[in-house]
Amino acid sequence: MMGVQQAQAFIAFLNCEAQNNEQRAKNLRATALAIEGKIPDRPQKRKRDDDIKANKNPSGYSLFVEENIEQFKKSHPDRPAAEITSIMSKQWTATSEEEKRVWNFRAKQQMQSEKVSLQDTVDQDDETNDPANAERKRPALKKPPHPTQSVEI
């Protein structure tokens, strides 16, 4: 017969083995899904839509990078993206305060012009939904008859 301590140790061992087997089973299921070309259930990343991007406030730095990165990539095609980003950051740091003010001013102007164009789009949508403009809308198309209905030929 087992003593109390031996029984507790044996129970702890069994619990540990069960946990290890559960983890191994999870890993095996994930491997099987990967082989089948399926991705195991993971929380989905939030998708960004154009509205979120349009509302972002561009900074002078982001405008600087946007306008200069393509030229830099063409002149240094062998450099990895992380290194290019690092170099662009160093170039921005080396830029004089006066030039940075110009970039920041341009970014603010761009943001304001985007807000105006976004507002124009909203205004145009309001015009098309205005009941006064109802006569401009196309008439609704007739639905085709249901397959079980008889149709005159």
Side-chain angles (χ1 to χ4, degrees):
M1 197 151 201
M2 269 194 229
V4 174
Q5 287 181 338
Q6 286 178 331
Q8 288 175 342
F10 187 64
I11 291 170
F13 169 76
L14 291 176
N15 285 333
C16 183
E17 284 296 308
Q19 272 186 330
N20 288 340
N21 286 336
E22 287 172 9
Q23 184 61 42
R24 185 166 184 262
K26 283 181 184 177
N27 291 341
L28 289 172
R29 282 188 212 103
T31 303
L33 288 174
I35 291 170
E36 291 175 343
K38 298 177 183 174
I39 298 174
D41 291 339
R42 293 183 184 161
Q44 291 184 349
K45 292 182 180 179
R46 184 175 149 213
K47 293 182 180 177
R48 295 182 180 258
D49 58 350
D50 294 334
D51 293 339
I52 294 172
K53 291 180 183 178
N55 292 332
K56 280 190 173 181
N57 297 336
S59 66
Y61 171 73
S62 63
L63 188 63
F64 172 81
V65 170
E66 183 181 314
E67 291 188 11
N68 292 310
I69 198 160
E70 289 305 318
Q71 180 184 3
F72 190 83
K73 283 181 181 179
K74 286 178 184 174
S75 60
H76 301 88
D78 56 327
R79 303 263 175 115
E83 188 178 343
I84 290 173
T85 304
S86 174
I87 292 170
M88 295 300 294
S89 174
K90 288 175 185 173
Q91 285 181 350
W92 174 255
T93 304
T95 303
S96 70
E97 288 301 315
E98 188 173 328
E99 284 183 70
K100 286 180 183 179
R101 274 190 239 118
V102 171
W103 283 105
N104 288 325
F105 179 75
R106 287 182 55 205
K108 282 183 183 179
Q109 282 184 322
Q110 181 179 355
M111 180 182 65
Q112 288 171 352
S113 68
E114 285 176 2
K115 281 183 180 179
V116 168
S117 67
L118 185 60
Q119 185 60 42
D120 289 345
T121 304
V122 170
D123 290 344
Q124 287 173 359
D125 288 344
D126 290 343
E127 286 176 13
T128 56
N129 294 329
D130 186 9
N133 295 327
E135 66 275 358
R136 282 195 240 159
K137 292 185 180 179
R138 291 184 186 171
L141 298 174
K142 284 188 173 182
K143 290 183 180 179
H146 193 273
T148 59
Q149 292 177 339
S150 61
V151 180
E152 292 181 22
I153 300 179

Coordinates of all heavy atoms in Angstrom, one line a residue, residues 38-105:
K38 N -3.7 25.1 -43.6 CA -4.6 25.9 -42.8 C -3.9 26.5 -41.7 O -2.9 26.0 -41.2 CB -5.8 25.0 -42.2 CG -6.6 24.3 -43.3 CD -7.6 23.4 -42.7 CE -8.5 22.7 -43.7 NZ -9.4 21.8 -43.1
I39 N -4.4 27.6 -41.2 CA -3.7 28.4 -40.1 C -4.5 28.1 -38.9 O -5.8 28.2 -38.9 CB -3.7 29.9 -40.4 CG1 -2.8 30.1 -41.7 CG2 -3.1 30.6 -39.3 CD1 -2.8 31.5 -42.1
P40 N -3.9 27.7 -37.8 CA -4.7 27.5 -36.5 C -5.4 28.8 -36.1 O -4.9 29.9 -36.5 CB -3.6 27.1 -35.5 CG -2.3 27.3 -36.2 CD -2.5 27.5 -37.6
D41 N -6.4 28.7 -35.4 CA -7.2 29.8 -34.9 C -6.3 30.7 -34.1 O -5.7 30.4 -33.1 CB -8.4 29.4 -34.1 CG -9.4 28.7 -34.9 OD1 -9.4 28.9 -36.1 OD2 -10.2 27.9 -34.3
R42 N -6.2 32.0 -34.6 CA -5.5 33.0 -33.9 C -6.4 34.3 -33.9 O -7.2 34.4 -34.8 CB -4.2 33.3 -34.6 CG -3.2 32.2 -34.5 CD -1.9 32.6 -35.1 NE -1.0 31.5 -35.1 CZ 0.1 31.4 -35.9 NH1 0.3 32.4 -36.8 NH2 0.9 30.4 -35.8
P43 N -6.2 35.2 -33.0 CA -7.0 36.4 -33.1 C -6.6 37.1 -34.4 O -5.4 37.2 -34.7 CB -6.5 37.2 -31.9 CG -5.7 36.3 -31.0 CD -5.3 35.1 -31.8
Q44 N -7.6 37.6 -35.1 CA -7.4 38.2 -36.3 C -6.9 39.7 -36.1 O -7.3 40.3 -35.2 CB -8.7 38.3 -37.2 CG -9.1 36.9 -37.7 CD -10.3 37.0 -38.5 OE1 -11.0 38.0 -38.6 NE2 -10.6 35.9 -39.2
K45 N -6.0 40.1 -36.9 CA -5.5 41.4 -36.8 C -6.5 42.4 -37.3 O -7.3 42.1 -38.3 CB -4.2 41.6 -37.7 CG -3.0 40.8 -37.1 CD -1.8 41.1 -38.0 CE -0.6 40.3 -37.5 NZ 0.6 40.5 -38.3
R46 N -6.6 43.5 -36.7 CA -7.5 44.5 -37.1 C -7.2 45.1 -38.5 O -6.0 45.5 -38.7 CB -7.5 45.7 -36.1 CG -8.5 46.7 -36.4 CD -8.5 47.7 -35.3 NE -8.9 49.0 -35.9 CZ -8.5 50.1 -35.4 NH1 -7.7 50.2 -34.4 NH2 -8.9 51.2 -36.0
K47 N -8.1 45.1 -39.4 CA -7.9 45.6 -40.7 C -8.1 47.1 -40.7 O -9.0 47.6 -40.2 CB -8.8 44.9 -41.7 CG -8.6 43.5 -41.9 CD -9.5 42.9 -43.0 CE -9.2 41.4 -43.1 NZ -10.1 40.8 -44.1
R48 N -7.2 47.7 -41.4 CA -7.3 49.2 -41.6 C -8.0 49.5 -42.9 O -7.7 48.9 -43.9 CB -5.9 49.9 -41.6 CG -5.2 49.7 -40.3 CD -3.9 50.4 -40.4 NE -3.1 50.3 -39.2 CZ -3.0 51.2 -38.2 NH1 -3.6 52.4 -38.4 NH2 -2.4 51.0 -37.1
D49 N -8.9 50.4 -42.8 CA -9.5 50.8 -44.1 C -9.1 52.2 -44.4 O -8.4 52.9 -43.7 CB -11.1 50.7 -44.0 CG -11.7 51.6 -42.9 OD1 -10.9 52.1 -42.0 OD2 -12.9 51.7 -42.8
D50 N -9.5 52.7 -45.6 CA -9.0 53.9 -46.1 C -9.4 55.1 -45.2 O -8.7 56.1 -45.1 CB -9.5 54.2 -47.5 CG -8.9 53.2 -48.5 OD1 -7.8 52.7 -48.2 OD2 -9.6 52.9 -49.5
D51 N -10.6 55.0 -44.6 CA -11.0 56.1 -43.7 C -10.1 56.3 -42.5 O -9.8 57.5 -42.2 CB -12.4 55.8 -43.1 CG -13.5 55.8 -44.2 OD1 -13.2 56.4 -45.3 OD2 -14.5 55.2 -44.0
I52 N -9.5 55.2 -42.0 CA -8.6 55.4 -40.9 C -7.3 56.0 -41.4 O -6.8 56.9 -40.7 CB -8.3 54.0 -40.2 CG1 -9.6 53.5 -39.6 CG2 -7.2 54.1 -39.2 CD1 -9.4 52.0 -39.0
K53 N -6.8 55.6 -42.5 CA -5.6 56.2 -43.1 C -5.8 57.6 -43.4 O -4.9 58.4 -43.2 CB -5.2 55.4 -44.3 CG -4.7 54.0 -44.0 CD -4.2 53.3 -45.2 CE -3.8 51.9 -44.9 NZ -3.5 51.1 -46.1
A54 N -7.0 58.0 -43.9 CA -7.2 59.4 -44.3 C -7.3 60.3 -43.2 O -6.9 61.5 -43.3 CB -8.5 59.5 -45.1
N55 N -7.6 59.8 -42.0 CA -7.7 60.7 -40.8 C -6.4 60.8 -40.1 O -6.4 61.6 -39.1 CB -8.8 60.1 -39.9 CG -10.2 60.3 -40.5 OD1 -10.4 61.2 -41.3 ND2 -11.1 59.4 -40.1
K56 N -5.4 60.1 -40.4 CA -4.1 60.2 -39.8 C -3.5 61.5 -40.1 O -3.6 62.0 -41.2 CB -3.2 59.1 -40.2 CG -3.4 57.8 -39.5 CD -2.3 56.8 -39.8 CE -2.4 55.6 -39.1 NZ -1.3 54.7 -39.3
N57 N -2.9 62.1 -39.1 CA -2.2 63.4 -39.3 C -0.8 63.1 -39.7 O 0.0 62.6 -38.9 CB -2.2 64.2 -38.0 CG -3.6 64.5 -37.5 OD1 -4.5 64.6 -38.3 ND2 -3.8 64.8 -36.2
P58 N -0.4 63.5 -40.9 CA 1.0 63.2 -41.4 C 1.9 64.2 -40.7 O 1.6 65.3 -40.4 CB 0.9 63.5 -42.9 CG -0.3 64.4 -43.0 CD -1.2 64.1 -42.0
S59 N 3.1 63.7 -40.4 CA 4.1 64.6 -39.8 C 5.1 65.0 -40.8 O 5.1 64.4 -41.9 CB 4.8 63.8 -38.6 OG 5.5 62.7 -39.2
G60 N 5.9 65.9 -40.5 CA 7.0 66.3 -41.4 C 7.9 65.2 -41.7 O 8.3 65.0 -42.8
Y61 N 8.2 64.4 -40.7 CA 9.0 63.2 -40.9 C 8.4 62.2 -41.9 O 9.1 61.7 -42.8 CB 9.3 62.5 -39.5 CG 10.0 61.2 -39.7 CD1 11.4 61.2 -40.0 CD2 9.4 60.0 -39.5 CE1 12.0 60.0 -40.1 CE2 10.0 58.8 -39.6 CZ 11.4 58.8 -39.9 OH 12.0 57.6 -40.1
S62 N 7.1 61.9 -41.7 CA 6.5 60.9 -42.6 C 6.5 61.4 -44.0 O 6.7 60.7 -45.0 CB 5.1 60.6 -42.1 OG 4.3 61.7 -42.1
L63 N 6.2 62.7 -44.2 CA 6.3 63.3 -45.5 C 7.7 63.2 -46.1 O 7.8 62.9 -47.3 CB 5.7 64.7 -45.5 CG 5.5 65.4 -46.8 CD1 4.4 64.7 -47.6 CD2 5.1 66.9 -46.6
F64 N 8.7 63.5 -45.3 CA 10.1 63.5 -45.7 C 10.4 62.1 -46.2 O 11.0 61.9 -47.3 CB 11.0 63.9 -44.5 CG 12.4 63.7 -44.7 CD1 13.2 64.6 -45.4 CD2 13.1 62.6 -44.2 CE1 14.6 64.4 -45.6 CE2 14.4 62.4 -44.4 CZ 15.2 63.3 -45.1
V65 N 10.0 61.1 -45.4 CA 10.3 59.7 -45.8 C 9.6 59.3 -47.0 O 10.1 58.7 -48.0 CB 10.0 58.7 -44.6 CG1 10.0 57.3 -45.0 CG2 10.9 59.0 -43.4
E66 N 8.3 59.6 -47.1 CA 7.5 59.3 -48.3 C 8.0 59.8 -49.6 O 8.0 59.1 -50.6 CB 6.1 59.9 -48.0 CG 5.1 59.5 -49.1 CD 3.7 60.2 -48.8 OE1 3.2 60.1 -47.7 OE2 3.1 60.8 -49.7
E67 N 8.6 61.0 -49.5 CA 9.1 61.7 -50.7 C 10.5 61.2 -51.1 O 10.9 61.3 -52.2 CB 9.0 63.2 -50.6 CG 7.6 63.7 -50.7 CD 7.5 65.2 -50.7 OE1 8.5 65.9 -51.0 OE2 6.4 65.7 -50.6
N68 N 11.3 60.7 -50.1 CA 12.7 60.4 -50.4 C 13.0 58.9 -50.4 O 14.1 58.6 -50.9 CB 13.6 61.1 -49.3 CG 13.5 62.6 -49.4 OD1 13.8 63.1 -50.5 ND2 13.3 63.3 -48.3
I69 N 12.1 58.1 -49.9 CA 12.5 56.7 -49.7 C 12.6 56.0 -51.1 O 13.5 55.1 -51.2 CB 11.5 56.0 -48.8 CG1 12.1 54.7 -48.3 CG2 10.2 55.7 -49.4 CD1 11.5 54.1 -47.1
E70 N 11.8 56.3 -52.0 CA 11.9 55.6 -53.3 C 13.2 55.9 -54.0 O 13.8 55.0 -54.6 CB 10.7 56.0 -54.2 CG 9.4 55.4 -53.8 CD 9.4 53.9 -53.6 OE1 9.9 53.2 -54.5 OE2 8.8 53.4 -52.6
Q71 N 13.6 57.1 -54.0 CA 14.9 57.5 -54.6 C 16.0 56.8 -53.9 O 16.9 56.3 -54.5 CB 15.1 59.0 -54.5 CG 16.4 59.5 -55.1 CD 16.6 61.0 -54.9 OE1 15.7 61.7 -54.2 NE2 17.6 61.5 -55.4
F72 N 15.9 56.7 -52.5 CA 17.0 56.0 -51.8 C 17.0 54.5 -52.1 O 18.1 53.9 -52.3 CB 16.8 56.2 -50.3 CG 18.0 55.8 -49.5 CD1 19.1 56.6 -49.3 CD2 18.0 54.5 -48.9 CE1 20.2 56.2 -48.6 CE2 19.1 54.1 -48.2 CZ 20.2 54.9 -48.0
K73 N 15.8 53.9 -52.3 CA 15.8 52.5 -52.6 C 16.4 52.2 -54.0 O 17.0 51.2 -54.2 CB 14.3 52.0 -52.6 CG 13.8 51.8 -51.2 CD 12.3 51.3 -51.3 CE 11.7 51.0 -50.0 NZ 10.3 50.6 -50.1
K74 N 16.1 53.1 -54.9 CA 16.7 53.0 -56.3 C 18.2 53.1 -56.3 O 18.9 52.4 -57.0 CB 16.1 54.0 -57.2 CG 14.7 53.7 -57.6 CD 14.1 54.8 -58.5 CE 12.6 54.5 -58.8 NZ 12.0 55.6 -59.5
S75 N 18.7 54.0 -55.4 CA 20.2 54.1 -55.4 C 20.9 53.1 -54.5 O 22.1 52.9 -54.7 CB 20.6 55.6 -54.9 OG 20.1 55.8 -53.6
H76 N 20.2 52.4 -53.7 CA 20.7 51.4 -52.8 C 19.8 50.2 -52.8 O 19.2 49.8 -51.7 CB 20.9 51.9 -51.4 CG 21.8 53.1 -51.3 ND1 21.3 54.4 -51.4 CD2 23.1 53.2 -51.1 CE1 22.3 55.2 -51.2 NE2 23.4 54.5 -51.1
P77 N 19.7 49.5 -53.9 CA 18.7 48.3 -54.0 C 19.1 47.1 -53.1 O 18.3 46.3 -52.8 CB 18.7 48.0 -55.4 CG 20.0 48.4 -56.0 CD 20.4 49.6 -55.1
D78 N 20.4 47.0 -52.7 CA 20.8 45.9 -52.0 C 20.6 46.0 -50.5 O 20.8 45.0 -49.7 CB 22.3 45.7 -52.2 CG 23.1 46.9 -51.9 OD1 22.6 48.0 -52.1 OD2 24.3 46.7 -51.5
R79 N 20.2 47.1 -50.0 CA 20.0 47.4 -48.6 C 18.6 46.8 -48.1 O 17.6 47.0 -48.8 CB 20.1 48.9 -48.2 CG 21.3 49.5 -48.6 CD 22.3 49.6 -47.5 NE 23.5 50.2 -47.9 CZ 24.0 51.4 -47.5 NH1 23.3 52.1 -46.7 NH2 25.2 51.8 -47.9
P80 N 18.6 46.2 -46.9 CA 17.3 45.7 -46.4 C 16.4 46.9 -45.9 O 16.9 47.9 -45.6 CB 17.7 44.8 -45.2 CG 19.1 45.1 -44.9 CD 19.7 45.7 -46.1
A81 N 15.1 46.6 -45.8 CA 14.2 47.7 -45.5 C 14.5 48.3 -44.1 O 14.4 49.5 -43.9 CB 12.8 47.1 -45.5
A82 N 14.8 47.4 -43.2 CA 15.1 48.0 -41.8 C 16.3 48.9 -41.8 O 16.3 50.0 -41.2 CB 15.4 46.8 -40.9
E83 N 17.3 48.6 -42.6 CA 18.5 49.5 -42.7 C 18.1 50.8 -43.4 O 18.5 51.9 -43.0 CB 19.6 48.8 -43.5 CG 20.9 49.5 -43.4 CD 22.0 48.8 -44.1 OE1 21.9 47.6 -44.3 OE2 23.0 49.4 -44.5
I84 N 17.3 50.7 -44.4 CA 16.8 51.9 -45.2 C 16.1 52.8 -44.2 O 16.3 54.0 -44.2 CB 16.0 51.6 -46.4 CG1 16.9 50.9 -47.4 CG2 15.3 52.8 -47.0 CD1 16.2 50.4 -48.6
T85 N 15.2 52.3 -43.4 CA 14.4 53.0 -42.5 C 15.3 53.7 -41.5 O 15.1 54.9 -41.1 CB 13.4 52.1 -41.7 OG1 12.6 51.5 -42.7 CG2 12.5 52.9 -40.8
S86 N 16.3 53.0 -41.0 CA 17.3 53.5 -40.0 C 18.0 54.7 -40.6 O 18.2 55.7 -40.0 CB 18.2 52.4 -39.6 OG 19.2 52.9 -38.8
I87 N 18.5 54.5 -41.9 CA 19.2 55.6 -42.6 C 18.3 56.8 -42.8 O 18.8 58.0 -42.5 CB 19.8 55.1 -43.9 CG1 20.9 54.1 -43.6 CG2 20.4 56.2 -44.7 CD1 21.4 53.3 -44.8
M88 N 17.1 56.6 -43.2 CA 16.2 57.7 -43.4 C 16.0 58.5 -42.0 O 15.9 59.7 -42.0 CB 14.8 57.2 -43.9 CG 14.9 56.6 -45.3 SD 15.5 57.7 -46.6 CE 14.2 58.9 -46.6
S89 N 15.9 57.7 -41.0 CA 15.7 58.4 -39.6 C 16.9 59.2 -39.3 O 16.8 60.3 -38.8 CB 15.5 57.3 -38.6 OG 15.5 57.8 -37.3
K90 N 18.1 58.7 -39.6 CA 19.3 59.4 -39.3 C 19.4 60.7 -40.2 O 19.9 61.8 -39.7 CB 20.6 58.6 -39.5 CG 20.7 57.5 -38.5 CD 21.8 56.6 -38.7 CE 21.9 55.5 -37.7 NZ 22.9 54.4 -38.0
Q91 N 18.9 60.6 -41.5 CA 18.9 61.7 -42.3 C 18.0 62.8 -41.8 O 18.3 64.0 -41.9 CB 18.5 61.4 -43.8 CG 19.6 60.6 -44.5 CD 19.2 60.3 -45.9 OE1 18.0 60.4 -46.3 NE2 20.1 59.8 -46.8
W92 N 16.8 62.4 -41.3 CA 15.9 63.3 -40.7 C 16.5 64.0 -39.5 O 16.4 65.2 -39.3 CB 14.6 62.6 -40.3 CG 13.6 63.5 -39.6 CD1 13.4 63.5 -38.3 CD2 12.8 64.6 -40.2 NE1 12.4 64.5 -38.0 CE2 12.1 65.2 -39.1 CE3 12.7 65.1 -41.5 CZ2 11.2 66.2 -39.3 CZ3 11.8 66.1 -41.7 CH2 11.1 66.7 -40.6
T93 N 17.2 63.3 -38.7 CA 17.9 63.8 -37.5 C 18.9 64.9 -37.9 O 19.1 65.9 -37.2 CB 18.5 62.7 -36.6 OG1 17.5 61.8 -36.3 CG2 19.1 63.3 -35.4
A94 N 19.6 64.6 -39.0 CA 20.7 65.5 -39.5 C 20.1 66.7 -40.2 O 20.8 67.7 -40.4 CB 21.6 64.7 -40.4
T95 N 18.8 66.7 -40.5 CA 18.2 67.8 -41.2 C 18.1 69.0 -40.3 O 17.8 68.9 -39.1 CB 16.8 67.5 -41.7 OG1 16.9 66.3 -42.5 CG2 16.1 68.6 -42.4
S96 N 18.4 70.2 -40.8 CA 18.3 71.4 -39.9 C 16.9 71.7 -39.5 O 15.9 71.3 -40.1 CB 18.8 72.6 -40.7 OG 17.9 73.0 -41.7
E97 N 16.8 72.5 -38.4 CA 15.5 72.8 -37.8 C 14.7 73.6 -38.8 O 13.5 73.4 -38.8 CB 15.7 73.6 -36.5 CG 16.2 72.7 -35.3 CD 15.3 71.6 -35.0 OE1 14.0 71.8 -34.9 OE2 15.8 70.5 -34.8
E98 N 15.3 74.4 -39.6 CA 14.6 75.3 -40.5 C 13.9 74.4 -41.6 O 12.8 74.5 -42.0 CB 15.5 76.3 -41.2 CG 14.8 77.3 -42.1 CD 15.7 78.4 -42.6 OE1 16.6 78.7 -41.9 OE2 15.4 78.8 -43.7
E99 N 14.7 73.4 -42.1 CA 14.1 72.5 -43.1 C 13.0 71.6 -42.5 O 12.0 71.3 -43.1 CB 15.2 71.5 -43.6 CG 16.2 72.2 -44.6 CD 17.2 71.2 -45.2 OE1 16.8 70.3 -45.9 OE2 18.4 71.3 -44.8
K100 N 13.2 71.2 -41.2 CA 12.2 70.4 -40.5 C 10.9 71.2 -40.4 O 9.8 70.7 -40.6 CB 12.6 70.0 -39.2 CG 13.6 68.9 -39.2 CD 14.0 68.5 -37.8 CE 15.1 67.4 -37.8 NZ 15.5 67.0 -36.5
R101 N 11.0 72.5 -40.2 CA 9.8 73.4 -40.1 C 9.1 73.4 -41.4 O 7.9 73.4 -41.5 CB 10.2 74.8 -39.6 CG 10.2 75.0 -38.1 CD 10.4 76.4 -37.7 NE 11.6 76.5 -36.9 CZ 12.7 77.2 -37.2 NH1 12.7 78.0 -38.3 NH2 13.7 77.1 -36.5
V102 N 9.9 73.5 -42.5 CA 9.3 73.5 -43.9 C 8.5 72.2 -44.1 O 7.4 72.2 -44.6 CB 10.4 73.7 -44.9 CG1 9.8 73.5 -46.3 CG2 11.0 75.1 -44.8
W103 N 9.1 71.0 -43.7 CA 8.5 69.7 -43.9 C 7.2 69.6 -43.1 O 6.2 69.2 -43.5 CB 9.4 68.6 -43.5 CG 10.5 68.3 -44.6 CD1 11.8 68.6 -44.5 CD2 10.3 67.6 -45.8 NE1 12.4 68.2 -45.7 CE2 11.5 67.6 -46.5 CE3 9.2 67.1 -46.5 CZ2 11.7 67.0 -47.7 CZ3 9.3 66.5 -47.7 CH2 10.6 66.4 -48.3
N104 N 7.3 70.1 -41.8 CA 6.1 70.1 -41.0 C 5.0 71.0 -41.5 O 3.8 70.6 -41.4 CB 6.5 70.5 -39.5 CG 7.3 69.4 -38.8 OD1 7.0 68.2 -39.0 ND2 8.2 69.8 -38.0
F105 N 5.4 72.2 -42.1 CA 4.4 73.1 -42.6 C 3.7 72.4 -43.8 O 2.5 72.5 -44.0 CB 5.1 74.4 -43.1 CG 4.1 75.4 -43.7 CD1 3.2 76.1 -42.9 CD2 4.2 75.6 -45.1 CE1 2.4 77.0 -43.5 CE2 3.3 76.5 -45.7 CZ 2.4 77.2 -44.9

